[in-house]
Amino acid sequence: MQGLGPFLGGLAVAAFLAALTICAYDAAQVTVADRVDAPGVILDHGPEG
Amino acid sequence: MGYRIAGAVTAFIAALLLLWVVVATFLGDDLVEPTVRVTAGQQPGETGVLAGEVLADRTRLQRWRGEVGPSPEGETPPQAYASEYFAMEPGVPTPRELVRSWQGNVADVAEMLRPSERVEGHSSVPYQVAQFFEDPSSRVYRERRNDIVRHAGGWLIFGAIFVLAAFLAVRGRVEVKDGFSGETVPRFNWLERGNHWMVATAFVVLGLTGLVIIYGRTLLIPLIGPQANGDVAWASAWLHMAFAVPFTLGLLAMIVLWVRENIPNRLDWVWLKRGAGGMVDPRQEPPPTPKMNAGQKLIFWAVVLLGLLLVATGVGLMFPFYWTGLVGMQWTQLIHAGLGLLMIALIIGHIYIGTIGMEGAFQAMWNGRVDRNWAREHHSIWYKRLMGASEHEIEREKARAFEPEQPHGRDAAGPAQPAE
């Protein structure tokens, strides 16, 4: 039982940071659709296509 | 003996799984399948010339790209809707439905598939959306991801389990030769342990969700169906991103906490030459070793380097196309997946040696304390320092590593504590 503290502590901090990340990433609304006009993003079939 | 038997059984199962991967790699179906697989044949359902002509006719439908409907150059080829020459994958619509769907409204994907002026050639897949994969570089990417990376992951993971289990069966556990003394000394403090478990928790989640992302389509769909796999994959993608943050922060903390102890030195080479500190051959004595031996240092640096690369590529995947284009994204994904699988195999080895593989090792990370005899045997330089030895004595202990191996060399570190 002596080792349970750091183990559960590490687990709890990991879960807490993960929950924060989900909120932050969701709020940032990162989508591929926003980036389709980025340089180099060309759906190029080429002559072999 | 029980451990050896368990090792033998596990090695046998791992060997069977490896055999399965070998068959899948060299003899199995090609994992790089087009979204719609069409088998051409002279007779219905076979390969050959006649169906090839039908395929060519169908292709003509798609020469006029970026628009819906058949090519304005001619009439709809008569065989374009022919179905009797095609053996379709179970569950996919008929060729007629496929072609019509291709001709239908694609407004929902038009933005993504907007043809640029550079687009040339024609597609042979009757799906607008699947034409993405007709891009030569994307096709190569798809093969690398679906074939090479997936199979390599099987080799790595089952290979690691097989090697470790076979090692356990042959060698048995690495035991404390003088037995446990019952007295312990401190090895890792609460901050080191808490941080270790935070990284470990994050890595287990990252590893499992990463495996779902890579193998869900091939391994989970047959078991739980596409709908459930979709739900699991969706949750996995979110969890994978979420736990990347505790992993990254914990990794940086690990570097700060442990980098000093893991700087390589001459003693590491001695440890490696002595059969990994006597782990391979029980007749060999572990040489004088500081707090971290060469094996632990290798794990540390592998975790740091692989971890940082995984973080860098992972951020690139979390923010797609922010820093690189399509080909860059493909390489980012491939490198991330490949290194992730490599790290899973590595951590399986780390977990093994920290639990089953070595007697007395797990307590170091669980309650932060190790048995005196374990410390004396495996990390004698560190133990001497812990016991307040003078610098002269420490230097003498280090020098002992470079002397010819003594049958009872460990006694130089001081007498063993009597076993319980």
Side-chain angles (χ1 to χ4, degrees):
Chain A
M1 293 300 286
Q2 207 180 356
L4 211 55
F7 175 74
L8 292 179
L11 200 143
V13 175
F16 175 70
L17 289 172
L20 275 185
T21 308
I22 287 181
C23 296
Y25 193 75
D26 192 38
Q29 293 189 320
V30 178
T31 62
V32 178
D34 291 341
R35 311 298 303 176
V36 288
D37 291 329
V41 183
I42 298 165
L43 299 173
D44 189 350
H45 296 248
E48 295 173 61
Chain B
M1 195 58 182
Y3 282 100
R4 288 192 173 201
I5 292 168
V9 172
T10 310
F12 178 70
I13 295 168
L16 290 179
L17 290 167
L18 258 182
L19 188 66
W20 171 52
V21 176
V22 170
V23 171
T25 305
F26 298 111
L27 303 172
D29 284 341
D30 192 353
L31 287 179
V32 186
E33 295 170 348
T35 308
V36 180
R37 184 161 69 175
V38 177
T39 310
Q42 286 182 326
Q43 302 297 321
E46 295 179 1
T47 57
V49 179
L50 195 55
E53 292 173 4
V54 180
L55 271 178
D57 273 354
R58 181 175 295 179
T59 298
R60 284 183 54 205
L61 276 171
Q62 298 161 58
R63 284 184 179 166
W64 190 45
R65 297 158 39 88
E67 299 285 348
V68 294
S71 166
E73 294 167 3
E75 297 295 318
T76 301
Q79 296 195 83
Y81 292 139
S83 62
E84 60 268 33
Y85 300 107
F86 298 99
M88 305 302 295
E89 290 259 321
V92 302
T94 64
R96 184 183 298 270
E97 287 168 326
L98 287 176
V99 174
R100 285 195 172 142
S101 75
W102 170 76
Q103 290 174 323
N105 182 12
V106 290
D108 53 337
V109 292
E111 184 63 21
M112 285 293 288
L113 296 172
R114 190 175 60 235
S116 76
E117 289 179 4
R118 293 168 52 185
V119 174
E120 293 177 6
H122 57 264
S123 166
S124 59
V125 180
Y127 272 144
Q128 282 264 4
V129 73
Q131 288 173 9
F132 176 84
F133 296 113
E134 290 287 291
D135 166 31
S137 69
S138 298
R139 207 164 46 217
V140 174
Y141 154 73
R142 199 156 168 253
E143 181 184 8
R144 286 175 178 150
R145 181 199 186 276
N146 291 356
D147 202 338
I148 298 172
V149 169
R150 273 185 185 156
H151 286 134
W155 283 87
L156 277 170
I157 292 172
F158 295 136
I161 294 171
F162 173 75
V163 168
L164 293 168
F167 180 72
L168 179 64
V170 174
R171 163 69 169 88
R173 298 184 88 190
V174 178
E175 294 176 334
V176 179
K177 288 175 182 168
D178 292 320
F180 288 114
S181 69
E183 291 178 28
T184 59
V185 291
R187 183 152 168 87
F188 293 118
N189 63 34
W190 66 269
L191 182 62
E192 291 172 305
R193 285 178 285 145
N195 187 58
H196 171 271
W197 290 122
M198 181 174 83
V199 175
T201 303
F203 187 78
V204 168
V205 176
L206 289 168
L208 291 176
T209 53
L211 289 174
V212 169
I213 293 166
I214 297 175
Y215 294 103
R217 198 172 175 81
T218 45
L219 298 183
L220 279 186
I221 285 181
L223 295 175
I224 62 176
Q227 183 66 49
N229 178 66
D231 295 339
V232 173
W234 178 84
S236 294
W238 272 104
L239 286 172
H240 202 77
M241 289 190 289
F243 277 84
V245 170
F247 176 78
T248 307
L249 294 177
L251 185 69
L252 295 175
M254 267 184 184
I255 295 172
V256 173
L257 288 169
W258 289 338
V259 71
R260 201 162 153 266
E261 297 161 357
N262 283 285
I263 294 170
N265 59 39
R266 290 191 307 153
L267 292 165
D268 298 328
W269 184 238
V270 177
W271 187 89
L272 288 170
K273 279 198 298 186
R274 296 253 183 108
M279 277 198 247
V280 176
D281 183 355
R283 290 167 301 183
Q284 280 189 299
E285 292 294 335
T289 307
K291 186 170 182 182
M292 298 293 175
N293 62 40
Q296 290 162 326
K297 289 179 183 179
L298 283 171
I299 285 282
F300 173 81
W301 287 111
V303 166
V304 167
L305 295 177
L306 286 177
L308 291 178
L309 283 170
L310 284 167
V311 168
T313 49
V315 169
L317 293 170
M318 283 176 76
F319 297 92
F321 301 111
Y322 278 68
W323 298 286
T324 180
L326 184 65
V327 174
M329 287 303 298
Q330 292 169 348
W331 276 110
T332 305
Q333 198 277 334
L334 286 173
I335 292 168
H336 190 80
L339 293 182
L341 289 163
L342 184 63
M343 189 135 165
I344 289 173
L346 187 81
I347 294 301
I348 288 172
H350 173 64
I351 293 170
Y352 167 78
I353 202 67
T355 54
I356 304 165
M358 178 183 269
E359 210 176 44
F362 181 69
Q363 296 305 320
M365 198 45 79
W366 184 247
N367 59 22
R369 301 184 71 85
V370 289
D371 191 88
R372 276 181 189 276
N373 286 351
W374 183 93
R376 239 185 95 260
E377 197 168 303
H378 294 292
H379 300 273
S380 61
I381 296 172
W382 168 71
Y383 178 70
K384 271 184 168 276
R385 202 181 288 279
L386 200 67
M387 293 296 105
S390 66
E391 277 307 308
H392 176 68
E393 285 175 301
I394 299 288
E395 288 305 316
R396 210 170 54 188
E397 181 68 6
K398 283 183 186 173
R400 201 169 61 78
F402 303 99
E403 294 169 0
E405 197 176 348
Q406 301 292 321
H408 298 289
R410 68 181 187 279
D411 288 348
Q417 301 293 317
E420 280 184 300

